[in-house]
Amino acid sequence: MSRVNLVGLTPSALEDLAGELGASRYRGRQLATWIYRKGVVALDAMTDLPRDFRAALAERAQAAVPDVERVTPSADGSRKLVLRLEDGALVSAVLMPDDGRVTLCLSTQVGCGYGCAFCLTGTMGLGRNLTAGEIVGQLLAAGALLPAGERVTHLVFMGMGEPLANLGAVVPAIRIFTDARLGFGYSPRRITVSTVGLVTGIERLAREDLRVNLAVSLHAAADEVRSRLMPVNRSWGLEALMDAVRRYPLAPRQRVFFEYVLLDGVNDSPEDARRLAGLLRGLRAKVNLIPFNDWPGAGFRRPPLPRILAFQSVLLEAGITTTVRWSKGEDIGAACGQLREPAPAGDRPRPVPALG
Ligand code: SAH
Ligand code: SF4
């Protein structure tokens, strides 16, 4: 019988487990504190747990964190972690320090089944869903690489995979991240879940009342273009998607993020920008424009800088907060949409292009 992974069990599930082993629920709370608040996973090191409880626990359970197979530093300060899971599958997580923040980009699946035309992860197809333990384990593994006193401050579900297609693991992982007493204690406002636009997933995320930030990968403001780029749009078109987004509960001053990858000659004209502004009218929205990150064999190009800035200007003039997100880690294949493990043949680190 395979042993259950303690990492990824919510504090209340750890309390239940302690009870099942004949111990008090308090022992479960101690376990949660060791793992999530102190980042300690070795049962031997949990010295305030009775020896017989630890022995009983070791028979039923283990605390497993993915192995760090490789860490690749980028010229811009970000680091890509390639993590090996128990079955040998590889996923990446990206640590991005910036302006006093340390953001960790998390994967939720091995590969991805949604096949967006511009995304390298999409070429892998779906391997499998990650477990809650494998998602939480990415934070534990990344946290262990930081110097003492430094901490991951923000979490974004923007790595490999579609988070809303794996809510069974993503929801408990978020509960563990946000539990202020026995979990990591992150404010939900420091957590962002990005989706390709799964309407039922957005609805469920709203019902779970997690209050995390929602980021929607829009990439086109017309159904015809979006369906060409993102096959999911044929199931849920823009109207259904925007309806679900409008119903997503927002705290005062919270906004929905919209990601828009800029593809030369495909979705980057001033007319596209005006259509996007129209689509977002009346919404508390923030747009992140992501100039396309290249990968070997991609059939797209990044637009020239003036075109990117012109697109941004249209949105700004329409009163929509809009930033251009120059991806981190592009030189090491760690930028948005460049995650694939093993990396494709011929993918060599490239110099970071001089930007604006
Ligand atoms: N599956 C989710 C989470 C991944 S987030 C989603 O699609 O939202 C990764 C973000 O990078 C998404 O907005 C995605 O559309 C974008 N992206 C994918 N490939 C890209 C590329 N080659 N260049 C720039 N952005 C890309
Ligand atoms: Fe999957 Fe997101 Fe890539 Fe689309 S952009 S293939 S949903 S990871």
Side-chain angles (χ1 to χ4, degrees), residues 69 83-91 110 128 134 341-342:
E69 169 103 356
L83 301 165
R84 184 174 289 279
L85 307 177
E86 259 195 312
D87 63 353
L90 299 174
V91 293
V110 178
R128 67 169 173 88
E134 289 165 340
E341 295 304 330

Side-chain angles (χ1 to χ4, degrees), residues 76 78 80 94 96 105 120-121 158 290-291 293-294 302 326-340:
D76 63 20
S78 61
K80 174 163 121 173
V94 186
M96 300 172 288
C105 179
L120 178 60
T121 310
M158 296 188 182
I290 317 173
N293 295 309
D294 203 4
R302 175 181 290 192
W326 298 105
S327 289
K328 295 243 158 204
E330 201 199 358
D331 55 333
I332 54 166
C336 297
Q338 286 187 326
L339 299 179
R340 181 184 168 125

Side-chain angles (χ1 to χ4, degrees), residues 93-109:
V94 186
L95 264 172
M96 300 172 288
D98 193 15
D99 222 3
R101 295 180 170 203
V102 180
T103 301
L104 179 66
C105 179
L106 298 164
S107 291
T108 55
Q109 299 180 313

Side-chain angles (χ1 to χ4, degrees), residues 15 25 27 108 172 211 247 277 327:
E15 289 179 325
R25 295 179 69 77
R27 299 297 178 207
T108 55
R211 293 157 195 266
R247 290 195 304 269
S327 289

Side-chain angles (χ1 to χ4, degrees), residues 118-119 158-159 161-162 194-195 217 219 259 261 292-293 295 336-337:
F118 46 80
C119 175
M158 296 188 182
E162 167 54 38
S194 177
T195 178
S217 292
H219 308 325
E259 290 152 292
V261 56
F292 173 67
N293 295 309
W295 41 272
C336 297

Side-chain angles (χ1 to χ4, degrees), residues 262-266 268-270 272 303-312:
L262 285 167
L263 306 167
D264 191 25
V266 176
D268 64 338
S269 71
D272 291 318
L305 186 59
R307 204 157 161 93
I308 295 173
L309 298 179
F311 194 98
Q312 181 185 24

Side-chain angles (χ1 to χ4, degrees), residues 168-180:
V170 168
V171 169
I174 293 175
R175 293 204 190 285
I176 292 165
F177 292 147
T178 54
D179 187 320

